[in-house]
Amino acid sequence: MIVIKKLMSGNEAIARGFYEAGGHAATAYPGTPSTEILEHISQYPEIYSEWSVNEKVAVEVAQGFSMAGARSLAAMKHVGVNVAADPLFTMAYSGVNGGFVLVSADDPGMHSSQDEQDNRYYARFMKMLLLEPSDSQEAKQMVIDGLEMSEKLDLPVILRTTTRISHSQGLVELGERKEVGLRSYEKRPDKFVMMPANARRLRVTLDQRLAEAGEFSETYPGNRVIPGDGKFAVITSGIAYQYAREVFGQQATYLKLSMTNPAPRKMITDFISRHDNVLVIEEGEPFLEEQIKFWGLKVTGKERLPAVGELSAAIIAERILGGQKYSPAVNAVEGLPQRPPVMCPACPHRGVYFLLAKKKPIITGDIGCYTLGALPPLNAMDTCICMGASITAAIGIKQMLPDRKVVATIGDSTFLHSGLTGLVDAIYKKSNIVVLILDNHITGMTGHQQNPATGLTIRNNPTNRVVIEDVVKACGVENVQVVDAYDLAAVESALDQALAADRLSVIIARRACALIVKDKGKPYWIDSDKCKRCRACMRIGCPAISYADNLVSIDGNICNACGVCRQMCKFGALQEG
Amino acid sequence: MDVKILIVGVGGQGTVLASKIIGEAAQLAGLDVKQSEVHGMAQRGGSVVTHVKFGDDVYSPLVEPGQADYVLAFEQLEGLRWISHLAASGKLICSTQQIMPMPVITGAAKYPEDIESKFREAGVDYLMLDAIDTAGRLGEKRAANVVLLGALARHLEIGREIWQQAIRNVVKKRAVDVNLQAFDCGWNC
Ligand SMILES: Cc1ncc(C[n+]2csc(CCOP(=O)(O)OP(=O)(O)O)c2C)c(N)n1
């Protein structure tokens, strides 16, 4: 038999695993580093897939798939699990009909996130099964295994990846899809109606199911000893296994764990009894270590390794071996300018934030590309906590500081995700805030996913479109304005009107994300005879405009021709095309 | 063979495509490959870095400081930022392109002057390449990433036909020809 191997990211491999396991239906809300999972799943016509409006909805819909007898999956980034936590906790009590896998993609090091919570604790807290792949091949296999064990043990599974699993590519052996029919649907109120009487009974069986899962974990092939010279003995899981293997190679004997809740207690006890000075090497919090120490076993872990940030082979080498296994041959140059992310050239958010900052209100922000408005030179944000928190924080601030103007800024996808409930609250509370919805027709930050306001499905087919201004008006907001985000005069007059109004106002600043616009127009350029070097055009912080040698210039390689800079110039120096 | 490459640049420059082609070529050559890239926030004009490793057995997908056989830099400042990842025998291939980071644009920082001389002073084995200009002459500036790739590929023990096949497999159909030309320009530079 010829084995076909394909280079796949962890996310693509997860999609492949779901396909091969006969998966029926999947949902997700985008979020780095999880986003590509559903995008890849959507390429398999055998599987029903759709973006959900948020993670709670994604999990509940996927639980509906499972109740109906389907093998189902929901994918999200780590903080998305916070949003979905409510149904998930109870799902462990009720168990499944068709197998259910939740993919939680964590982001140690916070490449693209507001925190680096270690979601393995959710599995312990929710009493779910937990799988931790260490590369793409394992990611594929563990989706298949996860669906099977979910059905066998009647528990939901958390497949936990991290940025370095989801976004690293490795070779994956491709298998065939194994069709499995839907399990039969029976009305089971004893299992799925979570009234106290049922829940109390299921609470007891939950621990029984977990105990059975503990036995299963002892024989699960993903939990195994990888023999070595035994100079070191290492218990490890996930990407940390790869780093440890890189550092110790054959010198160490490894207990490589894949199913880490419930962890295989006998296997771990046995391993520790056979080796001295066992090290637990895990990225993030001491999740395994705490469990092992709770069992009264002696290991070393976070005494020597950091819990903060990403782990790496270099960190392990330095902390455990000492010395200089990975020392630079050339010294790093100190004091180089940082390169923080910026709004792209022609980003429709830029001009809006520039004008908003000029009015000096308190600006509560939200999560998306527009969060970059917080950075210099715009400095146009006072707060940004989590998705949806712009409108709600504004309500609270305005209530306590009634003399201040408060503007909440929120993207289209974020508004539908969790801004809508806040807006309803603002209406109910008669909160005199301004809600500025930055509608760029797409979910931008995560790489351009459709959402209910775009009217397109994940496969780019037309579907019902949720019209944001209609929703806002239907909720009861009377002062609603829709403006072109590139038209500075129009945006400014809308802002002035809303800030002067003595009632709740909503402005929708609309213009498609520059990266999804195909026909961009010719780059702008600066007529240096007319240019007075005042650099007003640079106050909007466009990365295409710079100043050097007494000359302001536009980099035609990156200008996307929005023309906002031209509206900043009093001297007519900015020229089109 | 055990090769470690770091591809560095600015979000949006096409570093991911270059790493995809390398991965494809290594796989066609029958090697184990791993690569790791960053998606999300940094792709909005921030510093981006992609790690590529291939050889007989690859464990960690990341290239550690002092380990890179090659650093392929799409932008000068980013090249300078990552020289400490070069191995003693490592080589830097660097585009002459400069993209001003926001702290420079706002005047909070200065873009380093004469970066090439800094490579020289540090004793780095380097090659500077005006990849944008080369690609521009082919009528497609966006193929600058593949020009740089060509300049790197010449040093690797993977045959030219394999690279060409990898480009055909990875690049969108209508862009294959210009990318093959861009690759040749880099290879021959
Ligand atoms: C709970 C949660 N889910 C997902 C994300 C990932 N995420 C960050 S920004 C964003 C969407 C932003 O889209 P939009 O509001 O339309 O703004 P844009 O980026 O297009 O400006 C998402 C999904 C997150 N940070 N938190």
Side-chain angles (χ1 to χ4, degrees):
Chain A
M1 203 181 82
I2 320 169
V3 183
I4 299 175
K5 287 192 181 185
K6 187 168 177 235
L7 192 59
M8 282 185 174
S9 70
N11 284 348
E12 187 177 357
I14 287 168
R16 180 74 196 185
F18 192 63
Y19 165 78
E20 290 181 12
H24 298 104
T27 58
Y29 181 72
T32 313
S34 71
T35 311
E36 303 80 8
I37 295 169
L38 198 71
E39 292 178 329
H40 284 290
I41 286 179
S42 76
Q43 289 167 18
Y44 295 108
E46 295 88 343
I47 304 171
Y48 173 81
S49 60
E50 197 48 80
W51 293 121
S52 296
V53 69
N54 69 28
E55 292 86 352
K56 179 176 187 291
V57 171
V59 164
E60 289 164 351
V61 171
Q63 187 178 19
F65 298 150
S66 164
M67 288 166 171
R71 289 196 157 184
S72 61
L73 178 148
M76 57 204 59
K77 71 181 289 166
H78 58 341
V79 290
V81 181
N82 302 335
V83 177
D86 199 7
L88 286 167
F89 273 95
T90 310
M91 204 173 176
Y93 282 50
S94 61
V96 303
N97 184 19
F100 172 83
V101 170
L102 171 81
V103 184
S104 166
D106 296 7
D107 189 17
M110 295 170 274
H111 295 280
S112 295
S113 306
Q114 67 266 39
D115 77 16
E116 60 174 2
Q117 63 187 58
D118 186 333
N119 274 8
R120 296 180 299 170
Y121 284 101
Y122 265 131
R124 191 177 290 157
F125 194 8
M126 292 171 173
K127 295 178 179 275
M128 291 189 179
L129 309 179
L130 176 63
L131 294 171
E132 291 188 67
S134 78
D135 63 16
S136 295
Q137 176 70 44
E138 290 184 1
K140 186 197 95 167
Q141 188 59 42
M142 285 181 201
V143 177
I144 300 171
D145 296 348
L147 288 165
E148 273 165 17
M149 65 178 80
S150 171
E151 287 172 0
K152 180 178 152 63
L153 298 163
D154 196 12
L155 282 167
V157 171
I158 297 182
L159 180 83
R160 187 261 194 171
T161 74
T162 55
T163 296
R164 298 300 179 185
I165 300 297
S166 281
H167 287 164
S168 291
Q169 315 223 359
L171 295 175
V172 175
E173 289 180 13
L174 302 188
E176 300 280 318
R177 176 171 165 95
K178 204 178 101 220
E179 290 293 347
V180 288
L182 296 190
R183 292 180 153 200
S184 65
Y185 177 79
E186 283 155 43
K187 183 169 174 173
R188 287 285 307 276
D190 59 314
K191 189 168 162 66
F192 291 117
V193 178
M194 280 298 148
M195 295 190 305
N198 287 338
R200 274 184 220 117
R201 189 173 32 75
L202 288 166
R203 172 69 187 84
V204 177
T205 74
L206 174 55
D207 276 9
Q208 290 162 353
R209 282 174 279 154
L210 267 182
E212 194 189 331
E215 290 304 316
F216 179 89
S217 188
E218 302 287 350
T219 55
Y220 177 58
N223 293 336
R224 63 179 199 277
V225 174
I226 297 170
D229 302 345
K231 181 160 178 227
F232 299 90
V234 174
I235 299 176
T236 184
S237 67
I239 191 70
Y241 163 71
Q242 305 290 355
Y243 298 150
R245 185 82 200 234
E246 187 84 21
V247 173
F248 302 114
Q250 273 298 318
Q251 289 195 312
T253 301
Y254 305 87
L255 176 58
K256 180 185 180 306
L257 298 179
S258 300
M259 184 170 179
T260 48
N261 195 60
R265 182 173 181 170
K266 286 182 217 133
M267 191 183 249
I268 291 170
T269 308
D270 182 58
F271 185 80
I272 293 173
S273 74
R274 285 165 196 274
H275 298 91
D276 298 327
N277 305 324
V278 175
L279 279 167
V280 178
I281 301 184
E282 57 190 323
E283 186 170 66
E285 305 292 340
F287 174 78
L288 288 170
E289 183 184 339
E290 283 173 0
Q291 174 72 82
I292 294 168
K293 287 182 173 168
F294 177 76
W295 287 330
L297 302 168
K298 206 174 141 330
V299 289
T300 305
K302 296 297 171 186
E303 298 91 337
R304 299 184 66 183
L305 291 163
V308 176
E310 281 195 294
L311 195 61
S312 68
I315 293 171
I316 298 172
E318 186 199 313
R319 299 288 181 93
I320 306 296
L321 301 178
Q324 299 287 314
K325 189 173 165 97
Y326 302 110
S327 63
V330 184
N331 285 330
V333 182
E334 303 291 332
L336 293 180
Q338 294 297 308
R339 191 186 298 274
V342 289
M343 289 177 193
C344 304
C347 176
H349 304 325
R350 175 175 290 108
V352 176
Y353 271 110
F354 170 75
L355 294 169
L356 188 55
K358 238 174 56 174
K359 310 284 169 199
K360 300 201 163 47
I362 292 175
I363 304 169
T364 57
D366 223 300
I367 304 207
C369 289
Y370 51 94
T371 313
L372 297 169
L375 301 177
L378 296 167
N379 301 311
M381 203 170 286
D382 293 50
T383 70
C384 172
I385 305 294
C386 66
M387 285 188 81
S390 57
I391 299 176
T392 37
I395 297 170
I397 292 171
K398 181 72 186 176
Q399 192 66 37
M400 294 300 109
L401 305 174
D403 297 336
R404 296 291 303 271
K405 301 283 181 196
V406 186
V407 179
T409 58
I410 186 164
D412 49 337
S413 184
T414 305
F415 177 70
L416 296 173
H417 174 281
S418 49
L420 200 46
T421 43
L423 183 71
V424 171
D425 198 64
I427 295 163
Y428 177 57
K429 297 221 166 78
K430 291 188 156 185
S431 183
N432 179 15
I433 56 172
V434 179
V435 175
L436 180 51
I437 300 174
L438 302 156
D439 178 7
N440 60 354
H441 304 191
I442 203 80
T443 315
M445 177 97 282
T446 45
H448 305 113
Q449 290 74 36
Q450 304 300 342
N451 66 53
T454 70
L456 293 173
T457 69
I458 192 168
R459 293 181 176 137
N460 284 317
N461 296 320
T463 181
N464 292 332
R465 172 170 167 238
V466 173
V467 179
I468 293 178
E469 52 272 39
D470 291 356
V471 172
V472 169
K473 286 178 195 158
C475 288
V477 184
E478 288 160 359
N479 188 19
V480 181
Q481 304 175 78
V482 181
V483 291
D484 175 357
Y486 280 169
D487 183 344
L488 294 188
V491 174
E492 181 150 31
S493 93
L495 276 175
D496 287 340
Q497 191 263 49
L499 286 166
D502 55 2
R503 56 187 173 158
L504 174 64
S505 305
V506 171
I507 301 171
I508 300 168
R510 180 165 285 154
R511 180 57 91 150
C513 166
L515 299 185
I516 58 171
V517 174
K518 295 229 164 64
D519 195 8
K520 292 199 169 54
K522 292 232 172 83
Y524 278 69
W525 57 280
I526 295 177
D527 182 341
S528 56
D529 293 337
K530 290 188 182 160
C531 175
K532 300 271 190 282
R533 311 328 187 230
C534 71
R535 290 184 260 170
C537 55
M538 293 183 66
R539 287 162 60 206
I540 54 173
C542 176
I545 312 177
S546 60
Y547 174 76
D549 305 326
N550 197 33
L551 217 58
V552 185
S553 58
I554 293 181
D555 182 347
N557 290 321
I558 60 176
C559 169
N560 286 328
C562 65
V564 169
C565 56
R566 189 176 56 172
Q567 300 169 58
M568 298 293 295
C569 182
K570 288 201 190 107
F571 308 105
L574 282 112
Q575 306 293 326
E576 209 176 331
Chain B
M1 183 167 33
D2 180 17
V3 179
K4 304 185 181 75
I5 302 166
L6 213 57
I7 307 176
V8 304
V10 177
Q13 275 192 305
T15 51
V16 170
L17 181 77
S19 82
K20 251 199 177 140
I21 297 172
I22 300 177
E24 180 74 17
Q27 196 199 343
L28 289 173
L31 300 163
D32 190 15
V33 197
K34 276 191 184 162
Q35 56 196 49
S36 183
E37 57 212 24
V38 174
H39 298 218
M41 195 110 182
Q43 283 182 312
R44 301 280 168 264
S47 294
V48 289
V49 50
T50 298
H51 304 247
V52 187
K53 290 166 87 169
F54 53 86
D56 298 330
D57 281 305
V58 181
Y59 292 102
S60 164
L62 301 184
V63 179
E64 302 296 338
Q67 301 291 302
D69 301 298
Y70 299 93
V71 172
L72 187 63
F74 283 43
E75 198 274 348
Q76 292 197 37
L77 170 59
E78 296 311 309
L80 187 58
R81 200 186 301 287
W82 289 95
I83 53 173
S84 60
H85 269 61
L86 279 168
S89 59
K91 186 175 178 81
L92 169 72
I93 296 168
C94 187
S95 168
T96 55
Q97 190 180 6
Q98 298 188 341
I99 300 176
M100 298 300 134
M102 197 46 65
V104 170
I105 291 177
T106 62
K110 269 194 67 155
Y111 195 94
E113 278 171 30
D114 196 3
I115 288 181
E116 186 171 350
S117 76
K118 296 190 165 55
F119 295 150
R120 211 178 306 122
E121 283 158 25
V124 170
D125 176 11
Y126 69 91
L127 170 73
M128 300 292 285
L129 197 64
D130 192 341
I132 295 243
D133 181 63
T134 308
R137 276 187 272 121
L138 298 172
E140 181 53 279
K141 282 183 182 169
R142 281 177 302 175
N145 49 2
V146 178
V147 174
L148 289 162
L149 178 69
L152 167 74
R154 191 178 47 157
H155 298 282
L156 302 174
E157 288 172 41
I158 294 177
R160 192 167 175 165
E161 317 71 50
I162 293 187
W163 286 105
Q164 289 163 336
Q165 188 57 45
I167 290 171
R168 279 189 210 103
N169 292 357
V170 169
V171 170
K172 285 206 188 86
K173 251 208 174 76
R174 60 190 152 73
V176 164
D177 285 342
V178 71
N179 277 292
L180 285 174
Q181 289 170 26
F183 182 83
D184 283 346
C185 291
W187 181 284
N188 294 325
C189 77

